[in-house]
Amino acid sequence: MNQGIDLQETFIQSLLDLGLSPGLAKTIWMPLPMFSMIIVATFGVLVVVWLERKISAAAQQRIGPEFAGPLGVLQPVADGMKLVFKEDIIPAKADSLLFTLGPVLVVLPVFVSYLIVPFGQNLVITNINVGIFLWIALSSIAPIGLLMSGYASNNKYSLLGGLRAAAQSISYEIPLALSVLAVVMMSNSLSTIDIVQQQSGFGILGWNIWRQPVGFIIFWIAALAECERLPFDLPEAEEELVAGYQTEYSGMKFGLFYVGSYVNLVLSALVFAVLYLGGWESPIPLERLGGLIGVSETNSWLQIIQAAVGITMTVLKAYFLIFLAILLRWTVPRVRIDQLLDLGWKFLLPVSLVNLLLTAALKLAFPFAFGG
């Protein structure tokens, strides 16, 4: 069932019931998915930036922001407004076209990837049959923007940062894709909705984290490297490269890099929750709870409760993973670039390939346990 189409048809039908023409109703619908996607992603980034500041402060035994709004919740907004009004400088000898296009190529694919993330059974903008493949394809565009930004800056530190970002992303993209393919093989589908539904029915025991313990570790390491989070922030290592590919950027162009890194972190956490933690499914299936209290599954109140719990579960799982990523920043030292590439090519790649082949073998041997 295409849940995204159901949501679209429901909205358009409600406009038709108000007396609008079919063409006008479709025209009103077209920009809404993109606007809703941008609003949700931006709000998620603001929350993550605030969490990063507070958790980092707690790890260093200090308070963190607390004057800009209650507990400093308006500090991310203040940071964003500061970048909006800062002067946008383009270096004299930089390639202005590539310099401007680079941050856009980094941010735009990440925002588009939110189209296939399900926040609930009926809360996905579009449920295309190759949703996971689309996400992998879009994630491979960002390294082009990073390399473009580093080259166009006409700065040796920026160029080294761009080269590091491209090499790092390529080396970790393949293990990440292989770990995802193992989940796809068990689910018999590339649709994010189907992958979550394949994990439903048994609560927490049905989640893929138990059937893919190696795959979820590989995915998490590769996702941190893709997001350039410590200990894999070599492209912008301040002690070595000033700020890497961001060195010559200021104003909103720098803000795009800043937003893009956090948007990508939130996206990776959401995709991780969908692939390995059951997505919107709660640890205790609500269908069984409804049966125990004598409420029919078609009851409207139970459906509303299921939708609310689904959104809450998806967000909680994602932000738990983000909390772990922030905690790693203050507990794990940065690796060298040669160690990072060795880990990707010489360890994660063969292990992820063996995991994929083992999943295929187990799927043939035990089809009921492994999604056959």
Side-chain angles (χ1 to χ4, degrees):
M1 180 183 298
N2 197 322
Q3 303 292 347
I5 296 298
D6 289 346
L7 182 61
Q8 174 182 344
E9 291 179 350
T10 301
F11 181 83
I12 293 178
Q13 186 59 46
S14 63
L15 294 180
L16 293 177
D17 294 339
L18 294 176
L20 299 180
S21 63
L24 182 58
K26 291 181 180 179
T27 303
I28 295 175
W29 162 262
M30 287 177 61
L32 288 181
M34 298 300 295
F35 281 131
S36 60
M37 175 189 66
I38 293 173
I39 291 172
V40 170
T42 304
F43 180 76
V45 167
L46 293 177
V47 175
V48 172
V49 171
W50 178 78
L51 282 176
E52 175 116 53
R53 290 178 176 274
K54 298 299 284 189
I55 295 172
S56 301
Q60 297 177 326
Q61 294 184 344
R62 54 187 177 84
I63 298 175
E66 62 173 353
F67 296 108
L71 298 177
V73 294
L74 296 181
Q75 188 64 48
V77 179
D79 294 339
M81 295 301 294
K82 178 185 71 174
L83 291 175
V84 168
F85 291 104
K86 272 196 171 184
E87 183 180 1
D88 185 11
I89 300 174
I90 298 180
K93 295 184 179 182
D95 188 320
S96 59
L97 177 60
L98 298 182
F99 190 83
T100 304
L101 191 59
V104 178
L105 279 181
V106 173
V107 173
L108 190 59
V110 182
F111 273 107
V112 175
S113 299
Y114 276 82
L115 292 171
I116 55 97
V117 176
F119 290 88
Q121 188 168 5
N122 296 307
L123 292 172
V124 58
I125 296 177
T126 176
N127 178 27
I128 59 177
N129 294 328
V130 291
I132 290 296
F133 179 77
L134 175 64
W135 170 67
I136 294 175
L138 289 172
S139 65
S140 63
I141 299 176
I144 301 175
L146 297 176
L147 184 58
M148 186 183 298
S149 300
Y151 168 78
S153 298
N154 193 30
N155 180 296
K156 59 182 179 181
Y157 298 112
S158 300
L159 180 59
L160 285 173
L163 292 172
R164 282 187 176 186
Q168 176 173 317
S169 298
I170 292 172
S171 62
Y172 282 85
E173 189 77 28
I174 301 175
L176 184 142
L178 291 176
S179 63
V180 171
L181 286 178
V183 174
V184 169
M185 186 180 297
M186 292 194 306
S187 305
N188 298 316
S189 175
L190 286 163
S191 168
T192 52
I193 295 289
D194 294 340
I195 290 174
V196 175
Q197 290 178 341
Q198 183 262 341
Q199 302 175 68
S200 63
F202 300 98
I204 192 174
L205 298 178
W207 295 353
N208 284 332
I209 191 173
W210 311 116
R211 288 178 287 185
Q212 283 290 314
V214 176
F216 100 86
I217 295 175
I218 294 173
F219 183 94
W220 185 237
I221 295 175
L224 289 177
E226 284 280 312
C227 298
E228 299 171 12
R229 299 286 305 182
L230 272 165
F232 306 115
D233 68 333
L234 272 301
E236 50 188 275
E238 293 87 354
E239 296 85 350
E240 306 169 22
L241 303 180
V242 187
Y245 55 84
Q246 305 176 16
T247 301
E248 298 292 347
Y249 281 89
S250 62
M252 272 309 298
K253 291 188 180 70
F254 175 80
L256 287 178
F257 283 124
Y258 188 78
V259 170
S261 63
Y262 282 103
V263 170
N264 199 13
L265 177 61
V266 176
L267 175 66
S268 299
L270 288 170
V271 174
F272 187 98
V274 168
L275 293 176
Y276 296 100
L277 301 180
W280 65 79
E281 295 290 336
S282 60
I284 301 176
L286 288 182
E287 293 82 359
R288 296 186 179 183
L289 179 62
L292 290 175
I293 62 178
V295 178
S296 172
E297 293 185 11
T298 59
N299 185 279
S300 58
W301 284 107
L302 181 60
Q303 292 178 354
I304 294 174
I305 293 174
Q306 287 177 343
V309 171
I311 297 173
T312 304
M313 285 293 106
T314 304
V315 172
L316 283 179
K317 293 170 185 177
Y319 275 95
F320 173 73
L321 296 168
I322 292 171
F323 169 77
L324 294 180
I326 296 173
L327 205 59
L328 281 173
R329 177 179 180 178
W330 302 102
T331 54
V332 180
R334 179 187 294 126
V335 299
R336 298 196 312 266
I337 184 65
D338 60 314
Q339 295 173 331
L340 183 143
L341 296 179
D342 284 345
L343 177 64
W345 288 110
K346 298 180 181 179
F347 181 76
L348 292 184
L349 177 59
V351 171
S352 60
L353 185 58
V354 171
N355 179 67
L356 180 62
L357 297 176
L358 184 61
T359 301
L362 292 174
K363 182 179 172 66
L364 292 175
F366 307 100
F368 294 103
F370 285 85

